């Protein structure tokens, strides 16, 4: 039994060093020498899941390092609310596209929560594994996080602050007051649902924005031909018939 | 379910759903909740024709009986029969208003507490954006009152839509007129004339708000 578990862990560590935790910013997490008070240390563990495609076939295996947010001290997170766009606005945007024959694109930001900046000090206990590849040794390791990890209480909020600051300052969009997940300018509408963005506008502007998003967030473009996936909705488009 | 033939209505018109009677056999809650959950997802996503039926059946999910389960099976058969129906996103409506709502109720449709259920649809720029069905929180004493409650609900959502659209700049003028269609003549009469008869003077604050909006020409009925 023990050997099975061990091989599995070895296998995972090998994969981890290659892929998900190694998002560029997450490597710059700082090692903390003197320990913080024990009530401020957050537990963490590995979570394995299988991501499915729209037709329920296997897409890929996922592995994530998640924090145990229940053990978080209330002092270490402030506001945790992060607004998202609602279906009404999405439906309206889709209709708007058809009416005015605009360009539409869905963007997905991979490891969005890992790249969000933390505003408070969070100390996390690393799960048991071989961390020597990162220069970390010892039985129980604590790190001070610079960037957020999945399922911290505030990680959603931090990501939302990052992306909305990007959209409003760099892209010059205005945030809607009555529908906070909606960003707009005269030629572009952006629907924001956590890490999924739906861009609507003229061809030139949409592709310009996609290009900028790729630069800043290494965003993935879900737009392939006339069908794409946005927050779990499969959207098919027939431009000639003006159908979505 | 494979052998079932489809039904042409979401609910059986001839039966009134009631709470589980004493001694009546209870149905397994877990299955009931799963079915309601799946149907609700469908109703919120694109099938507004089953919204009313699902929300009505959902009210019994704390204590379902076999009778309620058969109503769910009826609904599933209806969904099966209408699987290839699609919701067109865009309609061309008569009239020039940018925001159009439709409001209606079943007066005292709920047998348990005699409350009505209101429902409404909203179009923005001929795009079908929103539908809702909700049990009213008061006991409406006439069809007119029930319709007024539904109209107020629709109007509140229209105002929100109005704010969003004027922010986006999709209005030519910031305060374009909205239009709500209602099929109850006395309600329409009362709202457009602003006159109360002695019988209807008990109707409370928010309906006066509605009348006020009509008088200011922000809304037409």
């Amino acid at each position: 039994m023990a050997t099975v578990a061990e091989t599995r862990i070895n296998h995972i560590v090998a994969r981890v060093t290659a892929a998900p935790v190694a998002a560029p910013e997450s490597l710059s997490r700082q090692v903390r020498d003197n320990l913080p008070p024990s009530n401020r240390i957050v537990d963490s563990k590995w979570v394995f899941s299988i991501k499915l495609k729209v037709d329920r076939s296997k897409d890929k295996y996922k592995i994530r390092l998640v924090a145990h947010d229940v053990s978080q001290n209330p002092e270490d997170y402030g506001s945790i609310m992060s607004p998202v766009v609602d279906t009404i606005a999405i439906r309206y945007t889709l209709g708007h596209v058809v009416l005015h024959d605009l360009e539409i694109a869905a963007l997905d930001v991979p490891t969005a929560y890992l790249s969000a900046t933390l505003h408070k000090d969070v100390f996390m206990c690393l799960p048991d594994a071989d961390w020597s590849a990162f220069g970390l040794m010892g039985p129980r390791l604590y790190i001070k996080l610079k960037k957020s990890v999945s399922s911290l209480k505030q990680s959603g909020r931090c990501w939302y602050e990052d992306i909305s600051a990007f959209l409003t300052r760099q892209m010059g969009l205005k945030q809607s007051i009555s529908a906070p997940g909606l960003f707009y300018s005269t030629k572009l509408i952006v629907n924001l649902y956590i890490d999924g963005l739906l861009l609507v506008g003229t061809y030139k502007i949409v592709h310009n924005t996609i290009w900028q998003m790729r630069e800043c967030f290494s965003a993935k473009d879900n737009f392939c031909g006339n069908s794409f996936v946005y927050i779990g909705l499969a959207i098919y488009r027939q431009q000639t018939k003006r159908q979505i | 379910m494979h052998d079932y033939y489809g039904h042409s209505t979401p609910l059986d018109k001839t039966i009134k759903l009631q709470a589980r009677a004493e001694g009546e056999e209870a149905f397994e809650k877990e299955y009931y909740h799963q079915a309601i959950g799946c149907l609700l997802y469908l109703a919120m996503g694109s099938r507004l024709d089953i919204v009313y039926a699902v929300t009505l059946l959902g009210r019994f999910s704390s204590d379902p009986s076999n009778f309620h389960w058969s109503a769910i099976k009826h609904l599933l058969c209806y969904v099966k029969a209408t699987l290839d129906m699609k919701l067109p996103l865009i309609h061309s409506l008569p009239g020039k208003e940018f925001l159009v709502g439709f409001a209606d109720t079943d007066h005292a449709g709920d047998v348990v507490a005699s409350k009505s259920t209101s429902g409404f649809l909203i179009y923005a720029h001929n795009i079908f954006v929103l539908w809702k069905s909700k049990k009213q929180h008061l006991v409406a004493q006439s069809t007119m009152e029930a319709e007024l409650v539904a109209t107020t609900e629709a109007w509140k959502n229209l105002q929100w839509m109005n704010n969003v659209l004027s922010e986006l700049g999709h209005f030519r003028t910031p305060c374009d007129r909205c239009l709500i269609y209602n099929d109850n003549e006395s309600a329409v009469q009362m709202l457009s004339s602003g006159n109360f008869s002695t019988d209807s003077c008990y109707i409370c604050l928010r309906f006066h708000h509605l009348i006020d909006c009509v008088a200011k020409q922000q809304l037409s009925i």
Side-chain angles (χ1 to χ4, degrees), chain A residues 86-89 91-92 94-96 98-99 175-179 182 184-185 189 232-233 244, chain B residues 41 44-45 87 89-90 124-131 160-161 163-165 167-170:
Chain A
D86 56 11
T87 45
I88 305 165
R91 216 171 285 134
Y92 176 75
L94 289 181
H96 189 67
V98 178
L99 269 187
Q175 186 178 10
S176 160
I177 300 164
S178 25
L182 207 62
Y184 65 95
S185 68
I189 302 176
L233 303 170
I244 282 195
Chain B
Y41 177 74
M44 296 299 138
L87 179 70
L89 203 59
I90 295 178
H125 284 244
N126 294 345
I127 304 166
F128 189 31
V129 285
L130 171 65
W131 59 87
W160 177 76
M161 238 9 251
N163 288 343
V164 175
L165 291 192
E167 268 188 84
L168 286 175
H170 289 178

Side-chain angles (χ1 to χ4, degrees), chain A residues 86-116:
Chain A
D86 56 11
T87 45
I88 305 165
I90 295 176
R91 216 171 285 134
Y92 176 75
T93 340
L94 289 181
H96 189 67
V97 169
V98 178
L99 269 187
H100 300 278
D101 204 14
L102 296 169
E103 183 75 6
I104 183 168
L107 277 180
D108 187 38
V109 184
T111 59
Y113 280 9
L114 291 184
S115 60

Side-chain angles (χ1 to χ4, degrees), chain B residues 151-159 178 180 209-210 213 219:
Chain B
T151 313
T152 329
E153 287 286 319
W155 171 231
K156 277 194 268 186
N157 282 277
L158 269 186
Q159 276 175 313
C178 306
I180 296 180
H209 168 70
L210 209 56
C213 291
L219 169 74

Side-chain angles (χ1 to χ4, degrees), chain B residues 97-103 120-123 147-162 171 174-182 187-194 206-221:
Chain B
E97 284 81 2
F98 287 110
L99 280 168
V100 181
F102 295 83
F120 59 87
L121 322 170
I122 287 177
Y123 286 89
E147 297 277 345
L148 282 179
V149 176
T151 313
T152 329
E153 287 286 319
W155 171 231
K156 277 194 268 186
N157 282 277
L158 269 186
Q159 276 175 313
W160 177 76
M161 238 9 251
N162 193 354
F171 271 151
C175 198
D176 253 308
R177 281 232 304 211
C178 306
L179 175 72
I180 296 180
Y181 286 102
N182 196 311
V188 175
Q189 274 280 323
M190 194 187 95
L191 285 174
S192 41
S193 63
R206 44 212 181 105
F207 310 124
H208 288 276
H209 168 70
L210 209 56
I211 289 166
D212 196 37
C213 291
V214 175
K216 280 182 191 157
Q217 297 202 330
Q218 289 172 346
L219 169 74
S220 45
I221 302 285

Side-chain angles (χ1 to χ4, degrees), chain A residues 50-67:
Chain A
I50 299 171
K51 192 178 178 181
L52 299 176
K53 287 182 187 165
V54 184
D55 58 359
R56 301 241 147 211
S57 64
K58 217 179 286 169
D59 188 0
K60 56 185 170 191
Y61 293 101
K62 286 188 118 181
I63 168 171
R64 269 172 302 176
L65 180 64
V66 297

